């Protein structure tokens, strides 16, 4: 396979205002990606490991960012949720090609409060809330018609009513221990800055690219 070699622009230096606010720059980068028209600027590839140690990843949307925690929403019986319940250590990567920026996070996931999940669920479009009920996420689906039939059944069951939060739907917050910022620069001399949680504060180091 031949692909063109890409020369990165000079994106400047990564500068961390306060390592004890480790997600401040992530929040700014998501905002700048949004302002630059990046599609799904809050999507991240989330890796979990199963009980035998085998890794697996998939995209999810980062929907919550506060202090040293981020969060996402999902079906609590999906493969990712089963894996997190068995082993809560996760890692995620966000890459915004248009910005030549990457962030990697590592931490421990735990279930989000139901009140937060309720709040998010009620903010979603009606059809997404119905789809949450209709999808037995990660389980085998014999035909697409079966999914469409389930969707229509739920739609008519709740006609004229609010769509409640499915008991099997929820969210995870990830309490972070490590956040790494990467920025493209010419000649492969990219910037890497990593923030690591120590006993009760965060420290900052630069890494070779
Ligand atoms: C851009 C993008 C965003 C996604 N966001 C979510 C999400 O926030 N939550 C979710 O459960 N699945 C999301 N998905 C679907 C997942 O990638 C995945 O297919 C699904 O969650 C099942 O994963 P699992 O079987 O490993 O649990 C998204 C997919 C894409 C491509």
């Amino acid at each position: 396979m031949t692909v063109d070699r890409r020369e990165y622009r000079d994106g400047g230096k990564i500068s961390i205002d306060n390592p004890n606010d480790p997600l401040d720059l992530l929040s700014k980068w998501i905002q700048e990606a949004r302002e630059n028209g990046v599609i799904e600027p809050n999507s991240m590839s989330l890796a979990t490991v199963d009980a035998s140690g085998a890794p697996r990843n998939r995209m999810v949307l980062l929907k919550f960012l506060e202090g040293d925690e981020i969060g996402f929403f999902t079906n609590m019986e999906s493969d990712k949720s089963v894996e997190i319940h068995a082993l809560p250590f996760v890692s995620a990567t966000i890459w915004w090609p248009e910005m030549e920026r990457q962030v990697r996070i590592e931490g421990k996931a735990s279930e989000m409060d139901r009140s937060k999940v309720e709040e998010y669920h009620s903010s979603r479009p009606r059809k997404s809330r119905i789809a949450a009920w209709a999808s037995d996420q990660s389980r085998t689906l014999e035909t697409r018609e079966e999914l469409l039939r389930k969707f229509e059944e739920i739609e008519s069951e709740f006609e004229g009513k609010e769509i409640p939060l499915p008991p099997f739907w929820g969210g995870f917050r990830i309490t972070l221990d490590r956040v790494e910022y990467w920025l493209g620069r010419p000649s492969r001399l990219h910037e890497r800055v990593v923030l690591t949680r120590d006993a009760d504060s965060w420290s900052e180091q630069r890494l070779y690219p």
Side-chain angles (χ1 to χ4, degrees), residues 40 43 56-63 72-75 78-81 83 137-138 169:
E40 306 278 38
S43 58
R56 181 185 282 173
N57 63 57
R58 81 289 287 154
M59 302 303 294
V60 292
L61 295 179
L62 187 164
K63 284 285 182 183
F72 67 94
F73 297 94
T74 192
N75 182 309
S78 64
D79 283 353
K80 74 180 85 50
S81 302
E83 291 180 357
Q137 195 177 56
S138 312
W169 206 82

